[in-house]
Amino acid sequence: MCKRLEKSDTPASQSNKGTARLLTFPDGRIQLKKEKIADAAKWDGLRGIVAWDHDDADTRYLVIQYRKISEIETCFRVGKHDLKLRPAHHLRMRRVRAHITICRVRNLRQRLKVNGHPMSADRIRRTLNQLRYCILVQMDGPGKFGGSHQAMPEAEQIYRTLGLKWTTRAFMIEPAE
């Protein structure tokens, strides 16, 4: 924040958000608003929920909903860090899913390019759509098994890039009950 203020020709024009709301700029100098800092300190360590049109009986419901929102935001933070996702401002779930898919494909394309195997998004989609698995159900036996066909070299490269191993050996999906 201080570096940004020092670089600014007109620090008084800085936003009123974050720490800037605790500063004044008389005569072009930076001064702290001690009363604002004291007011802000009263809220340190507290979390508040503001809700309209809810009676007191709904407070438990509001807290539960807020926690769900916090979990979703945590997932997006992980996605933003690990998958390099950008904010998704969509109202419909299918658009959110599409946004995340696009970001994942973009991330995969970048990783493939870095590893020396550039592919277009359409080529990745076609390659992954050609993968085939078989599910075998043994009625009187140990359960369900899966197996895969031989993959194309491009699909194996995608798997290696994602840190996965393509195998044609059978594997157990779910044990019998």
Side-chain angles (χ1 to χ4, degrees), residues 70-164:
S70 295
E71 289 174 19
I72 292 168
E73 288 174 353
T74 301
C75 291
F76 274 108
R77 274 194 298 277
V78 168
K80 185 176 178 181
H81 180 268
D82 295 345
L83 298 174
K84 307 289 190 267
L85 291 173
R86 294 293 125 224
H89 301 289
H90 303 294
L91 298 177
R92 293 195 169 91
M93 187 53 71
R94 67 181 174 83
R95 288 187 179 180
V96 172
R97 286 188 185 115
H99 180 90
I100 291 171
T101 301
I102 290 167
C103 292
R104 285 180 174 172
V105 169
R106 186 179 299 154
N107 179 264
L108 177 58
R109 286 186 65 205
Q110 180 63 29
R111 289 169 67 178
L112 286 165
K113 185 178 178 181
V114 167
N115 288 333
H117 303 283
M119 287 188 209
S120 68
D122 188 53
R123 188 167 156 196
I124 291 170
R125 182 187 56 78
R126 281 187 282 120
T127 301
L128 294 177
N129 280 341
Q130 289 174 354
L131 297 177
R132 299 290 180 252
Y133 284 95
C134 295
I135 297 176
L136 309 169
V137 179
Q138 193 172 4
M139 298 306 227
D140 296 331
K144 288 185 183 179
F145 293 89
S148 59
H149 295 272
Q150 187 66 35
M152 298 177 357
E154 291 175 334
E156 291 180 15
Q157 183 57 46
I158 292 171
Y159 265 62
R160 276 194 301 277
T161 300
L162 293 172
L164 303 171

